[in-house]
Amino acid sequence: MATFLVAIALLILGYIFYSKIVEKVFGIDDSRETPALTQADGMDFVPMSWWKGSLIQLLNIAGTGPIFGALMGALYGPVAFIWIVVGSIFAGAVHDYFSGMLSLKHKGEQFPNLVGRYLGTGMQVFVNILSIILMILVAAAFTASPAQLISSITPLNFTVSLVLVFAYFVLVAVLPINKIIGRIYPILGAVLIFMAIAISVALLFNGQPIPNLTLNNLHPGELPIWPLLMVTISCGAISGFHATQSPIVSKTLKKESDGRKVFYGAMIGEGIIALIWAAAGMTFFGGTGGLQEALTLGGPAGVVNEISISLLGTVGGILAILCVIILPVTTGDTALRSSRMILSEVISKYLSFKGTGQVFLVTALVSVPTFLLATIDYSFLWRYVGWTNQLTATIMLWTATSFLMKTEKQHFITGIPAIFMTAVSATYIFYAPEGFQLSYPISLTIGTVLTIIVLAIYIKKIIETRKPKTKDIKIA
């Protein structure tokens, strides 16, 4: 139990102290007008209070990630607590802050355009494709999962449920942000926080001891911690999906100082939620073996339902259903909205018309493949989200590092986590079932070599930036 309480305290202290360091390094100025004010259009650029922005951001980035991912990560044992705490404070929250604030700095630009500014046009083209693929995969997966649950608890069949969920996605993608997202999502964000707090209090007083820290790998399937844990628990530690969501909220900030509360703060909140559910998974079933059996029988949704009803009674059961249905819906719809925004920035370079016509055209372009993918197996879709998600996070961290280097600021706050995530992504893709499926030693070797190469390039850039700039000398 001590480890759990210390971990929560560290996350809170990370927000109180480290977020201010990150903010100072970025450099804010509340005298500058934000895009929400200078580009207000009643659609995407709409001024909102910081607390609304924080709850919307939390709901957008959360989905079922900090719950389902944390439960899967809990199979490794209390070592998962370390990744959630360290990842959230020094990687995930930093990643989210820079993705949001760089967007704000550049008039609400989407993630691929930010990459183009700081890593070049070649990388921008790649990230445009990667981001849209990731958004479509997430939107499709988060259409299928709630549709499956709705069809299992109502008279509606899967196809009808799928159409209803997706129709809602399209509606949210084309409506102004203050019509549904700005009005309803802060309330749903508060429900998510309430449920996490209720589960944590019940855990502390139900008589079962929450496991304390051990570095041993307790995974029943003996899967390696590195780098699988870092991909399994992404939402709740660091997730590249957030880089596509932060620009949505950056368009609503009234002043730059709100960014620390909205972007860094929401990620810390997500980390706390992940920590609570990881602890619940380890504790409730008497260890990782029991958790594995429960996941095999009922899947993550079944585990959430069982824990919630047992600890919180009928109210818990209602909250569980709400979370398992609402959370993926409120992330899938903003994923579709984000893909619409990203594709709009690409199309605007070639087509001159804007406004409602462009919104509907682009939404239609991303909706068709999303709906078709939503009809296939959810687990198959989610398998391919993991690596693309963490690769996106890696690229965002390098984008932020390039920005800090070019502006001669302390780039190590993003450079070090960028190197770490490079190692995660490079190793995982060679080992994973959806990747090259190489042996673990070979994957580890290739991942290490690739990381060393990237590190060497980074060090070279650092040396180049530290060289004194020569001045032209005029000869009299």
Side-chain angles (χ1 to χ4, degrees):
M1 184 177 294
T3 300
F4 174 68
L5 295 175
V6 169
I8 290 180
L10 287 173
L11 285 169
I12 294 171
L13 290 172
Y15 172 73
I16 293 172
F17 295 106
Y18 195 66
S19 68
K20 292 180 180 178
I21 295 173
V22 173
E23 181 184 63
K24 186 176 180 180
V25 170
F26 178 84
I28 62 167
D29 183 357
D30 279 344
S31 68
R32 289 191 292 251
E33 288 192 315
T34 63
L37 302 174
T38 60
Q39 298 173 244
D41 61 2
M43 180 66 180
D44 296 318
F45 293 88
V46 179
M48 290 186 186
S49 60
W50 70 264
W51 64 268
K52 270 192 176 183
S54 294
L55 289 170
I56 292 170
Q57 175 75 358
L58 176 62
L59 205 63
N60 286 357
I61 66 177
T64 54
I67 300 177
F68 287 7
L71 287 171
M72 298 297 291
L75 291 171
Y76 292 91
V79 69
F81 292 156
I82 298 177
W83 169 233
I84 292 171
V85 172
V86 175
S88 292
I89 295 172
F90 298 106
V94 174
H95 167 280
D96 290 12
Y97 182 81
F98 275 91
S99 61
M101 293 303 291
L102 284 176
S103 174
L104 184 144
K105 177 182 176 66
H106 295 293
K107 301 180 180 180
E109 283 186 350
Q110 295 299 117
F111 168 57
N113 272 17
L114 298 176
V115 173
R117 281 182 177 274
Y118 296 104
L119 296 182
T121 54
M123 184 61 76
Q124 181 180 358
V125 171
F126 171 73
V127 170
N128 265 315
I129 297 170
L130 178 68
S131 298
I132 292 174
I133 289 174
L134 176 60
M135 292 304 92
I136 288 174
L137 282 172
V138 170
F142 284 169
T143 305
S145 62
Q148 287 174 351
L149 183 59
I150 290 172
S151 65
S152 68
I153 62 175
T154 70
L156 301 175
N157 62 35
F158 175 72
T159 302
V160 174
S161 300
L162 192 72
V163 170
L164 289 175
V165 171
F166 194 73
Y168 173 78
F169 281 16
V170 174
L171 184 67
V172 172
V174 300
L175 283 178
I177 192 170
N178 60 335
K179 295 301 180 183
I180 294 179
I181 294 176
R183 291 179 181 177
I184 300 175
Y185 286 23
I187 299 171
L188 299 178
V191 170
L192 175 62
I193 294 171
F194 171 78
M195 183 178 185
I197 293 173
I199 291 292
S200 65
V201 171
L203 272 178
L204 291 172
F205 294 99
N206 80 331
Q208 293 176 282
I210 300 173
N212 282 319
L213 182 62
T214 172
L215 298 181
N216 295 331
N217 183 358
L218 303 181
H219 198 292
E222 298 182 354
L223 295 177
I225 292 175
W226 174 268
L228 299 190
L229 176 60
M230 291 74 195
V231 177
T232 304
I233 303 181
S234 53
C235 294
I238 179 171
S239 167
F241 174 71
H242 300 184
T244 67
Q245 299 302 290
S246 295
I248 294 176
V249 182
S250 75
K251 296 176 174 66
T252 71
L253 298 190
K254 294 180 180 179
K255 55 184 180 179
E256 292 186 4
S257 58
D258 287 344
R260 183 174 69 90
K261 292 172 279 195
V262 171
F263 301 121
Y264 199 102
M267 182 60 230
I268 292 297
E270 188 183 47
I272 292 174
I273 292 169
L275 195 72
I276 290 168
W277 280 101
M282 295 176 206
T283 306
F284 186 80
F285 298 99
T288 58
L291 174 59
Q292 177 71 78
E293 290 179 14
L295 287 169
T296 302
L297 290 173
V303 168
V304 170
N305 191 51
E306 186 175 350
I307 291 174
S308 301
I309 292 176
S310 299
L311 294 181
L312 304 178
T314 304
V315 174
I318 294 172
L319 287 174
I321 292 173
L322 282 173
C323 282
V324 174
I325 294 177
I326 291 175
L327 287 179
V329 167
T330 54
T331 298
D333 57 12
T334 51
L336 193 65
R337 187 183 185 93
S338 180
S339 64
R340 186 260 292 171
M341 291 178 174
I342 293 171
L343 194 56
S344 291
E345 286 190 353
V346 175
I347 289 178
S348 64
K349 297 177 182 178
Y350 306 100
L351 298 177
S352 58
F353 79 97
K354 294 184 179 181
T356 306
Q358 187 196 65
V359 169
F360 281 100
L361 171 63
V362 177
T363 302
L365 289 175
V366 295
S367 293
V368 173
T370 301
F371 184 77
L372 292 175
L373 283 172
T375 61
I376 67 177
D377 181 51
Y378 165 78
S379 59
F380 176 82
L381 288 173
W382 196 246
R383 180 188 301 174
Y384 288 92
V385 170
W387 181 71
T388 55
N389 188 37
Q390 297 306 62
L391 178 62
T392 301
T394 304
I395 294 171
M396 181 61 236
L397 285 171
W398 282 121
T399 301
T401 303
S402 179
F403 158 73
L404 292 175
M405 293 180 76
K406 288 180 178 180
T407 52
E408 299 182 344
K409 296 179 179 179
Q410 295 298 322
H411 52 84
F412 292 112
I413 65 168
T414 55
I416 292 174
I419 285 292
F420 181 87
M421 291 307 298
T422 298
V424 169
S425 300
T427 305
Y428 181 82
I429 191 60
F430 289 100
Y431 180 68
E434 65 272 25
F436 294 98
Q437 303 181 36
L438 300 179
S439 69
Y440 185 65
I442 292 176
S443 301
L444 197 62
T445 301
I446 296 173
T448 301
V449 170
L450 291 175
T451 304
I452 291 172
I453 292 172
V454 173
L455 177 60
I457 295 171
Y458 180 36
I459 293 172
K460 181 183 176 183
K461 292 289 184 183
I462 294 173
I463 295 172
E464 288 175 356
T465 58
R466 290 182 176 179
K467 287 181 180 179
K469 297 178 181 178
T470 58
K471 295 182 179 180
D472 293 334
I473 302 175
K474 293 183 179 181
I475 300 175

